Amino acid sequence: MARWDAILSLPVQNPPTLEISSAELVWSKVEGWHDKLDRVALIPYARVDDFVRGESNNKECPTRFHVEARRRRSPSTPFKQKVDGILEYILYWCSFGPDDHRKGGIVRPSRTTYVPKKKNAGRPNTKRGCICHFIVKRLIAEPSVALIIYNDDKHVDKKGLPCHGPQDKKAAGTRAMFAPYISEDLRLRVLSLLYVGVSVETIMQRHNESVERQGGPCNRDDLLTHRYVRRQERAIRRSTYELDDDDAVSISMWVESHQNLVFFYEDFSDSNPFTLGIQTEWQLQQMIRFGNSGMLASDSRFGTNKLQYPIHSLLVFNLDKKAIPVAWIIAPKFSSLDAHRWMRALYNRVHTKDPTWKLAGFIVDDPSYDVLAIRDVFQCTVMISFWRIRHLWHKNIVKCLETDMQIKISRRLGWIVDNICRHQGSMSLFEEFMEDFIDESKFMDYFKATWHPRIGTWINALQTLPLASQESCAAMEFYHNQLKIRLLNEKDICVYQRADWLVDKLGTKVHSYFWLDEYSEKDDFARYWKNEWMSGLTSWRKALKIPDTDVIMEDGCAKVTDQDKAFVVWNTGSMLSICNCSWAQDGNLCEHILKVLSICRKRGSILPSVTLFQYHQALNNMLHCPPFDSFIRDHAVSLAVSVQKQLNTLLDKESDQTVMDPNEKRIIIDIPQEWFKVVSTNRDQDLVSKKRVINDILSEDDNGCEDRNNSNDAPGCASAMNDIADQEVVDHGIARNGKLFESAGEDSLPADMDVDPSSTCVNPPGLDPVDDTVSGDAFQENKERGLATIGNEISASENGALPNDKIEENISDKGGRDCAMDVDTPSSTTEDVKHCEIHQNGVNEVPRVISCTKDADSHLSPPSTVTPAQPLALDTGENSGTIKEDVYLGSNT
């Protein structure tokens, strides 16, 4: 019993890596059989496959482990509870053993039926007597834990000599130099190319050319054979999705044979509907990579009109800000938003791989989504995306109305939504809209039948949840169109009513297209590209490539020249602008609209975006509501220090991966000195007083501490700010080569788009979330208060159109301060320092001031700054004198 007491007292090790190798574990010696000491370790049973892969990918001696022996006790079999009882026993052995087929080698008596081939082609000398093996035991006492016994960890034969790999001199020139099978990456590449229609000959031709360019085989993947690829092609060609005439039975059979792809399955019952969650190993890796401290988005209603079961997609955003599907949930329409059951299973699956995985924010596209379930499971911010409703409105406006009426109705709807998001409107605005445009019967019939019953739910969501940025909307819209092209392209539309066809195509062809989107050498197969291969940049990224000089503003519209073609954008600066390009005519958010929107915000001709307004509102609430408990205030200060250090470490890592732009600058917030330091690469450091900026903000706020507190409490705000100023809470950054480190920029990201390369959708690595920084109702409290722009209501004219001069007058009068926050400074000169204060006059006279924040639409994550959730991710801006808005402030509610 002493042996098992020692084993069960060992810690369960779970390294936060995709693969586990023996070098990453701490091994213990315990008493074994025949007075020997066993080398043992405990890991989660669900990660045994990760350990096998990690050991197979040993750099010193690459190999592959196979199951040599297995004993399994059925869970239904009655057994006696005992400490050394075993539910499962698996013996993994290096594939170069245990038999030795070399000349003079030893073959076990049970393997005497082996007949050597006349030609040793294919896998010559595969069995070379390697004794490396380990045992995995699943104990009755701890079914969730795997005991690994690894006594023979050296790849040698019984004589103690290297028998394969680079250390074996006799293996030179043979396959024994490398692992006996191709890597998982190459296997996925071959299968993906075959699924999308690339021929076997083309795959082998491209592969052989790449091997020749590098001067011959140098790893196991270089030994890919024509026979293997042909065998995979034959298996794909002979496979069928219809495993049974009954769709339900066919689905059950598919789930049974694809357990590694299913993270949740529940058949129809009296209490629960059918639900199937699909996630491949590659998708799980992408979710861990880009979702940790990043954003997860939901496309919840794909195929509601064509498919028997709609597809609910979960998306992450890669380094190019494109959406990648990391899970598909298939369920009936009425249960598509009942997410708690499968959401918990998905979260547990991810945490099994990486216990440190933490989501920063969750973007939903439907107001009836189970927001409480998201907060309960993921413990993160919940945001609302406007892309779906904007897409459908835009599509039907273009379809049902003439151009003049399209402009009027879209302008009015955009103005209504903008006011609702700023807490300046209610349901009455839509009632007036329907009365003013009652003559447009075709569109009004659609609007009343489809959207009028849902307007109340949407209004509540837009006023209680932060709005996701337009960059995320463009990415989600692009993914939606990709999925439509790649999935709904069957000639026989009857298959759309079968669930077994749907799961089979998602797991094969559709998954292959998205995998190839991330494949760097896919251009080698350009001749095979079809419509399904549609990829490229999102509308937001395309807008970055359009020069400002190609945009001309005139007569209430904008003319955009793109690739020698001219396009006209009406309702410039509106959330529902109209463009005459083909992409926008289909209801999509095109790059021309986004470019014009960025130009308008840079010039200050429109109000700041809703996301920036929400960001300011959250900061305003925090500044004017300092904690009266000194211990809570000290805790808040410590959190600021922690975030600053994390940010410095993050930017230090990113600077090694991006190209340094000598014109790039950054701001470092120094609370103890209350200065803004603008650090340029030419060592010109201009100091700007942060205290003046804060005092100006507080003095200009009409509803400051004096309005919300009694006269006796009014000094509390100022004293709280002075308390923070008197404490040393922020480091000055990480020094590099004797000077403060500099921010790295991206050549492809112009300043006018206010794009942050380290947006949270790109998964800032190593940025730990900070919990409980703002109360759960921080976003909803003081709705009547906020920035100065709240008081500047812009009322619609009686005919339903919003006059342009009304907007301009409103901005020039009182909105100038907020618009100035969107303007970037081109350089850190002494003259720029003078304009760090918030100006009272119109923004047109302010020569590109240094702003405290940037437009929230330039990021994927900024709306979470005002949400009731916890992860905190701060980013400094690319341009001088700016602080990026990628801040997650809030607490779980």
Side-chain angles (χ1 to χ4, degrees), residues 480-493:
H480 191 86
N481 283 276
Q482 277 186 313
L483 186 60
K484 181 185 298 183
I485 293 174
R486 294 170 176 179
L487 183 67
L488 304 179
N489 56 2
E490 298 292 333
K491 296 180 180 179
D492 183 11
I493 61 176

Side-chain angles (χ1 to χ4, degrees), residues 254-274:
W254 186 91
V255 171
E256 186 68 24
S257 59
H258 295 79
Q259 287 292 328
N260 59 328
L261 303 182
V262 178
F263 70 87
F264 183 85
Y265 174 64
E266 199 169 74
D267 205 349
F268 275 108
S269 63
D270 295 336
S271 57
N272 295 315
F274 164 79

Side-chain angles (χ1 to χ4, degrees), residues 146-322:
L147 169 65
I148 301 179
I149 305 175
Y150 205 169
N151 292 329
D152 297 292
D153 60 337
K154 305 298 182 183
H155 292 274
V156 297
D157 56 18
K158 291 187 176 180
K159 297 180 182 180
L161 300 175
C163 55
H164 65 92
Q167 298 178 357
D168 183 12
K169 297 180 180 179
K170 295 182 179 180
T174 68
R175 290 174 178 265
M177 278 284 294
F178 316 109
Y181 301 95
I182 64 175
S183 65
E184 182 67 16
D185 183 73
L186 180 58
R187 189 187 71 85
L188 277 176
R189 186 194 315 171
V190 170
L191 288 177
S192 298
L193 291 172
L194 291 174
Y195 275 124
V196 301
V198 180
S199 64
V200 176
E201 288 72 19
T202 302
I203 294 176
M204 289 307 304
Q205 179 184 355
R206 299 292 188 272
H207 176 77
N208 294 333
E209 290 174 355
S210 65
V211 173
E212 291 176 2
R213 284 195 299 267
Q214 67 184 16
C218 61
N219 56 60
R220 58 179 173 173
D221 289 343
D222 294 339
L223 302 176
L224 179 67
T225 62
H226 188 281
R227 178 184 178 186
Y228 174 82
V229 181
R230 174 64 67 185
R231 188 165 62 248
Q232 299 299 318
E233 187 272 337
R234 188 186 305 117
I236 292 174
R237 180 162 30 90
R238 293 178 178 177
S239 63
T240 178
Y241 68 86
E242 193 171 349
L243 304 178
D244 192 273
D245 293 338
D246 189 339
D247 193 25
V249 175
S250 182
I251 279 288
S252 300
M253 296 173 64
W254 186 91
V255 171
E256 186 68 24
S257 59
H258 295 79
Q259 287 292 328
N260 59 328
L261 303 182
V262 178
F263 70 87
F264 183 85
Y265 174 64
E266 199 169 74
D267 205 349
F268 275 108
S269 63
D270 295 336
S271 57
N272 295 315
F274 164 79
T275 306
L276 175 61
I278 302 174
Q279 185 182 58
T280 66
E281 183 66 23
W282 175 78
Q283 288 178 314
L284 177 59
Q285 294 174 6
Q286 303 307 304
M287 185 172 182
I288 294 175
R289 179 186 177 189
F290 296 113
N292 191 22
S293 299
M295 305 298 297
L296 192 66
S298 168
D299 180 11
S300 61
R301 295 182 177 275
F302 180 88
T304 52
N305 297 327
K306 291 187 177 181
L307 300 176
Q308 179 184 7
Y309 299 116
I311 301 174
H312 187 161
S313 301
L314 294 183
L315 314 170
V316 294
F317 303 95
N318 65 4
L319 298 177
D320 294 328
K321 314 295 181 66
K322 292 174 60 178

Side-chain angles (χ1 to χ4, degrees), residues 388-389 392-393 446-456 458:
R388 185 178 298 279
I389 189 171
L392 294 174
W393 284 1
Y446 157 78
F447 189 85
K448 291 180 181 178
T450 306
W451 294 106
H452 189 264
R454 311 179 192 176
I455 288 298
W458 270 101

Side-chain angles (χ1 to χ4, degrees), residues 545-738:
K545 296 183 176 297
I546 301 177
D548 291 358
T549 55
D550 290 347
V551 180
I552 302 175
M553 300 286 189
E554 56 181 23
D555 299 333
C557 65
K559 292 183 179 180
V560 183
T561 304
D562 183 18
Q563 297 180 354
D564 299 329
K565 294 182 180 179
F567 302 95
V568 181
V569 177
W570 293 276
N571 295 341
T572 57
S574 171
M575 298 181 67
L576 287 171
S577 299
I578 300 291
C579 181
N580 62 350
C581 69
S582 59
W583 183 253
Q585 292 297 303
D586 292 334
N588 301 307
L589 188 63
C590 70
E591 60 269 25
H592 313 114
I593 293 176
L594 292 172
K595 183 62 181 180
V596 172
L597 190 63
S598 70
I599 294 292
C600 292
R601 289 208 173 105
K602 185 179 68 173
R603 296 178 178 178
S605 59
I606 60 174
L607 291 174
S609 64
V610 172
T611 48
L612 181 59
F613 165 80
Q614 294 172 343
Y615 173 74
H616 286 166
Q617 187 182 41
L619 293 182
N620 226 25
N621 293 339
M622 291 171 58
L623 286 174
H624 292 90
C625 296
F628 296 99
D629 190 323
S630 60
F631 287 99
I632 298 178
R633 186 162 63 247
D634 292 343
H635 177 63
V637 169
S638 68
L639 292 181
V641 175
S642 174
V643 171
Q644 180 69 16
K645 290 182 178 179
Q646 294 178 44
L647 180 61
N648 292 340
T649 304
L650 169 64
L651 294 179
D652 188 46
K653 292 179 180 179
E654 289 183 348
S655 63
D656 296 336
Q657 303 175 1
T658 55
V659 180
M660 183 69 66
D661 186 348
N663 294 323
E664 295 292 343
K665 309 169 188 67
R666 61 184 294 178
I667 287 182
I668 300 176
I669 305 176
D670 192 349
I671 295 180
Q673 301 299 330
E674 293 196 0
W675 292 91
F676 277 5
K677 281 189 180 178
V678 182
V679 183
S680 62
T681 55
N682 59 6
R683 291 191 175 184
D684 291 337
Q685 302 181 4
D686 297 322
L687 301 180
V688 183
S689 173
K690 177 190 174 189
K691 192 169 185 177
R692 284 187 300 149
V693 177
I694 295 179
N695 291 337
D696 290 342
I697 295 176
L698 297 180
S699 62
E700 290 173 9
D701 188 356
D702 295 336
N703 297 312
C705 298
E706 294 79 10
D707 294 341
R708 298 179 316 138
N709 302 324
N710 296 329
S711 59
N712 296 331
D713 297 331
C717 292
S719 62
M721 296 302 297
N722 292 331
D723 289 343
I724 297 177
D726 294 336
Q727 300 181 45
E728 284 189 39
V729 295
V730 178
D731 296 341
H732 289 276
I734 300 176
R736 179 186 301 150
N737 299 329

